[in-house]
Amino acid sequence: MTRREFVEDAAGTVPGVAFVGCGLAGASDAQAQARRREVVVNGRRVKTVDVHAHCSVPEAMALMGLTVAPPALLRSRASDRIRAMDEQGIDVEALSINPYWYTADRDVARELIRIQNEKLAEACAANPDRFVAFASVALQHPDLAAEQLQEGVSKYGLRGAGIGGSVNGEELSDPRFHPFWAKAEQLGVLVFIHPQVSGAPTELASRLTGSGGLENAIGNPLETTIALSHLIFEGTLDRFPGLKICAAHGGGYLPSYAARSDAICLTFPDRYTTPLRKKPTEYLRQLYYDSIVFTPEALRHLVAETGPGQIVMGTDYPFPWTKTSVDHILGTPGLTDAERAAMLGDTAAKLLGIKS
């Protein structure tokens, strides 16, 4: 994964945060270079929120012997990132860091996360009207992760947690992660689940070689599909019914073939070993999903399976999967104005505590 360092704010420099492909700057600097697109739905200005935007902290990565690469992407003009947001009509980005620290021992993990969350808070403070962030947590140490989430929210003002779809081969539904889920439910904050590269993409590496980038194209959505399915079938969502979880990439493949999860309970009841309070597909309507599904028909189907109030806009910025996330939602037929506004930003603003 490539990352470009965040080095500036309106006053000068804010060292320590790197962003995949771009930097940050004071809003006034960026707006001087490009006109900010304002998104309006039926005459109402909508504050748009991107829940899926990548970044990293080089100082924290160094504790794992990692560096931001390639070096040519470092130290770009910080105004580039906000200029791109302005052009696309993105008012606020929710920053998250894909976990690379799940093999770190407890002491290293504690220091790494402290550095990372401090730098995230500094980046958001430099541009509070444009950025919020998800706390990083050392989920391989669940009790520590719960502490870090509490500190991230109460001390640093972060808006939830960003986690991977698995932890060193363990499913997020494993009971040992219950302390983290309990804390997330208690705090009422959003948990953003992004595919873990060391999960399904690596475990199935021999099947995902060759042309097509299958480790990403198939492996990443599959990782999310497996993670969500375990959270449903192992009863985690019953144990913690107040959880607010958002899955990247439209929830992977699960919403596209959800009815099979219901059917297996009837077809092979002996494999349905954990009693659930409702049908598996009904849990889809208590989860949230980003809008990165590429076509109007895919978004229409996601709405049909999960409900329009469960979808929030995502870009995967700065990876060039899409530069038209706003237009994707505006151009999908069959949505009401209220549903479009909810997906563009109203729902995410409520989940992340962003003032309208």
Side-chain angles (χ1 to χ4, degrees):
M1 179 181 296
T2 60
R3 299 169 172 85
R4 186 176 293 180
E5 191 171 9
F6 160 60
V7 294
E8 296 181 356
D9 69 359
T13 62
V14 180
V17 179
F19 287 82
V20 187
C22 60
L24 290 176
S28 59
D29 184 23
Q31 290 168 347
Q33 300 177 50
R35 182 181 179 184
R36 182 170 174 176
R37 176 185 178 186
E38 295 188 348
V39 178
V40 176
V41 176
N42 194 23
R44 179 171 79 87
R45 171 74 164 90
V46 177
K47 177 176 281 189
T48 57
V49 180
D50 173 11
V51 302
H52 188 162
H54 293 284
C55 65
S56 66
V57 175
E59 183 181 347
M61 294 176 68
L63 296 180
M64 297 292 292
L66 302 173
T67 59
V68 181
L73 291 178
L74 292 173
R75 302 214 176 263
S76 66
R77 283 285 301 172
S79 57
D80 290 350
R81 190 174 186 94
I82 289 180
R83 182 171 60 247
M85 291 169 63
D86 289 346
E87 291 171 351
Q88 294 181 33
I90 307 296
D91 291 314
V92 181
E93 278 189 346
L95 307 172
S96 58
I97 302 175
N98 287 354
Y100 56 86
W101 53 85
Y102 283 167
T103 59
D105 66 33
R106 192 179 184 90
D107 290 339
V108 171
R110 183 185 296 276
E111 178 65 6
L112 186 154
I113 297 301
R114 181 193 65 78
I115 293 170
Q116 205 151 254
N117 287 343
E118 283 184 357
K119 296 299 183 182
L120 283 171
E122 290 173 11
C124 294
N127 292 280
D129 61 330
R130 305 307 300 271
F131 299 99
V132 296
F134 292 102
S136 299
V137 296
L139 204 53
Q140 71 271 35
H141 309 292
D143 59 324
L144 178 60
E147 295 175 15
Q148 291 166 334
L149 178 56
Q150 176 71 63
E151 183 178 58
V153 172
S154 60
K155 180 177 179 179
Y156 297 120
L158 304 176
R159 308 305 172 91
I163 66 173
S166 59
V167 183
N168 301 326
E170 295 180 285
E171 298 300 335
L172 300 178
S173 59
D174 191 292
R176 84 182 198 93
F177 298 120
H178 286 176
F180 169 77
W181 292 122
K183 177 60 66 173
E185 183 181 48
Q186 176 194 341
L187 294 173
V189 295
L190 187 65
V191 177
F192 180 65
I193 299 179
H194 189 280
Q196 187 70 7
V197 173
S198 60
T202 297
E203 293 160 0
L204 295 172
S206 63
R207 299 288 310 280
L208 299 175
T209 58
S211 179
L214 301 185
E215 76 289 344
N216 188 308
I218 293 176
N220 277 9
L222 181 60
E223 166 80 352
T224 303
T225 304
I226 294 170
L228 296 182
S229 296
H230 278 295
L231 289 173
I232 292 170
F233 277 108
E234 300 302 328
T236 307
L237 299 183
D238 280 344
R239 180 180 289 271
F240 305 104
L243 282 175
K244 299 174 182 177
I245 294 173
C246 179
H249 313 124
Y253 302 122
L254 184 58
S256 298
Y257 202 31
R260 189 177 178 95
S261 295
D262 289 347
I264 198 167
C265 298
L266 301 175
T267 306
F268 300 107
D270 57 312
R271 303 182 190 183
Y272 174 46
T273 57
T274 300
L276 301 178
R277 295 175 184 172
K278 49 192 177 185
K279 294 193 302 182
T281 52
E282 293 181 42
Y283 292 93
L284 298 186
R285 292 181 173 265
Q286 71 186 63
L287 302 172
Y288 296 90
Y289 313 84
D290 75 22
S291 62
I292 307 175
V293 293
F294 304 106
T295 68
E297 173 56 22
L299 185 57
R300 184 209 62 77
H301 182 72
L302 185 60
V303 170
E305 292 295 316
T306 69
Q310 305 309 114
I311 299 170
V312 290
M313 186 170 61
T315 66
D316 216 340
Y317 191 84
F319 296 105
W321 291 104
T322 178
K323 294 183 179 180
T324 58
S325 56
V326 169
D327 297 308
H328 182 202
I329 292 170
L330 291 176
T332 294
L335 302 176
T336 67
D337 290 337
E339 290 168 350
R340 294 184 205 280
M343 294 179 201
L344 287 166
D346 288 355
T347 297
K350 292 177 183 177
L351 291 169
L352 297 171
I354 297 170
K355 295 180 180 179
S356 58

